[in-house]
Amino acid sequence: QSGQQNTGTALQSGNVARSTINLTQRKDNNMATLTQTQGDLNVIAVRQIPDNFDTQMNTTTISQAGSENEARLTQTGYNNSFSLTQTGNEHRVRQNGTNLFALQSGNGNTADLTQSGNGDGAAGGHTINFDQSGTSNTADIDQSGTGDNEITLIQQDDDNDATLSQDEGSNNIIVVNQNPDNAGTMGGMVMISQTGGSDNEARLSQTGKENELTLTQDGDGNILRLSGANNTAVQAGDDNTALLSQTGEDHIINFNQGGMRNSATITQMNGTF
């Protein structure tokens, strides 16, 4: 669809498998609503890519049910929104092509993503790989199920917000990187909640100033650390705050604040620090 104020609506119903919906919309103020009600190994791929990067107000809504379905997104511009609901087993969110990360590029974009359901018992949970590049973006991501779920969120530039939760299950992972291009600019806000399971892991890197981190983990054997080989989560910059809470046993917090006027409040109950 080429032009402004277009609407794309697609529905696949019935127990179909290996079906694909591809939609490309250019310009601004476009809307895409795409639904797959049943089936396995289905794909929905949306590209909202205006010719002018300054265009705005595109909306994508995706709903998928079944197993091992995949949602792919590329949105560029300003004030775009992405809403996703996936129910069932082992769903994925990524970008079109070979890129592993779904992409919102621009300022003032919002993403509201929900995955629910159970794995197949073979370390098969849900996966979300999401990249927001720009300022004043917001991501709200929730996963629930028996475990082995993964969220990886990258927010580049400043003043971004992220609320990430994994409810139920064990061996879940949340990875957050909020890294402004300029280390002296305003940082972001991250709220992480991992509840109702054990052996969950949160991995964090925040740079900039005035970052905020709130972490809540319950169960046993949960960890806060950094991504990759480094074992210590990081807030780098000035005037950062961290509120860290773990309830249960055998928890680990490896956390470093570098800069001035930072504060950290750490609470572990029924565990050791």
Side-chain angles (χ1 to χ4, degrees), residues 168-229:
E168 306 174 51
S170 301
N171 302 305
N172 297 311
I173 297 173
I174 292 176
V175 181
V176 183
N177 293 322
Q178 285 185 330
N179 297 309
D181 292 334
N182 186 341
T185 59
M186 184 72 68
M189 184 277 292
V190 175
M191 297 182 66
I192 297 174
S193 175
Q194 293 174 313
T195 60
S198 59
D199 299 312
N200 296 312
E201 189 167 312
R203 305 173 185 175
L204 174 83
S205 174
Q206 285 183 315
T207 59
K209 65 179 182 179
E210 298 182 35
N211 291 300
E212 299 177 23
L213 167 64
T214 302
L215 171 72
T216 303
Q217 293 175 317
D218 69 20
D220 298 328
N222 298 313
I223 299 173
L224 172 65
R225 68 179 190 88
L226 183 62
S227 303

Side-chain angles (χ1 to χ4, degrees), residues 141-144 151 163-167 174 191-194:
I141 302 175
D142 179 75
Q143 290 178 324
S144 61
I151 299 170
T163 302
L164 312 174
S165 61
Q166 290 173 325
D167 310 313
I174 292 176
M191 297 182 66
I192 297 174
S193 175
Q194 293 174 313

Side-chain angles (χ1 to χ4, degrees), residues 23-235:
L23 176 65
T24 299
Q25 292 177 321
R26 300 185 182 275
K27 304 294 184 182
D28 55 1
N29 289 288
N30 296 309
M31 180 179 294
T33 303
L34 310 173
T35 304
Q36 292 170 325
T37 61
Q38 281 182 283
D40 304 332
L41 301 167
N42 296 312
V43 175
I44 292 177
V46 179
R47 299 170 69 237
Q48 290 177 323
I49 46 173
D51 296 328
N52 184 346
F53 190 79
D54 291 334
T55 57
Q56 57 184 327
M57 298 296 290
N58 290 310
T59 300
T60 293
T61 302
I62 294 175
S63 178
Q64 293 175 307
S67 297
E68 299 183 72
N69 296 315
E70 188 166 279
R72 304 176 184 176
L73 176 78
T74 304
Q75 278 184 328
T76 59
Y78 294 83
N79 300 317
N80 297 309
S81 66
F82 174 39
S83 178
L84 169 80
T85 302
Q86 291 177 318
T87 59
N89 306 322
E90 294 186 73
H91 297 308
R92 291 173 296 279
V93 176
R94 64 192 264 315
Q95 194 184 150
N96 298 288
T98 58
N99 197 314
L100 294 179
F101 284 80
L103 176 66
Q104 281 185 325
S105 181
N107 302 332
N109 297 311
T110 63
D112 189 348
L113 315 181
T114 301
Q115 292 178 321
S116 62
N118 300 321
D120 64 359
H126 301 301
T127 301
I128 292 176
N129 293 323
F130 196 66
D131 185 345
Q132 287 182 320
S133 177
T135 63
S136 302
N137 295 310
T138 301
D140 191 336
I141 302 175
D142 179 75
Q143 290 178 324
S144 61
T146 54
D148 297 297
N149 298 308
E150 294 188 17
I151 299 170
T152 301
L153 175 66
I154 298 173
Q155 289 181 319
Q156 303 177 53
D157 266 321
D158 57 316
D159 197 27
N160 295 308
D161 292 344
T163 302
L164 312 174
S165 61
Q166 290 173 325
D167 310 313
E168 306 174 51
S170 301
N171 302 305
N172 297 311
I173 297 173
I174 292 176
V175 181
V176 183
N177 293 322
Q178 285 185 330
N179 297 309
D181 292 334
N182 186 341
T185 59
M186 184 72 68
M189 184 277 292
V190 175
M191 297 182 66
I192 297 174
S193 175
Q194 293 174 313
T195 60
S198 59
D199 299 312
N200 296 312
E201 189 167 312
R203 305 173 185 175
L204 174 83
S205 174
Q206 285 183 315
T207 59
K209 65 179 182 179
E210 298 182 35
N211 291 300
E212 299 177 23
L213 167 64
T214 302
L215 171 72
T216 303
Q217 293 175 317
D218 69 20
D220 298 328
N222 298 313
I223 299 173
L224 172 65
R225 68 179 190 88
L226 183 62
S227 303
N230 195 319
N231 203 37
T232 304
V234 172
Q235 278 186 329

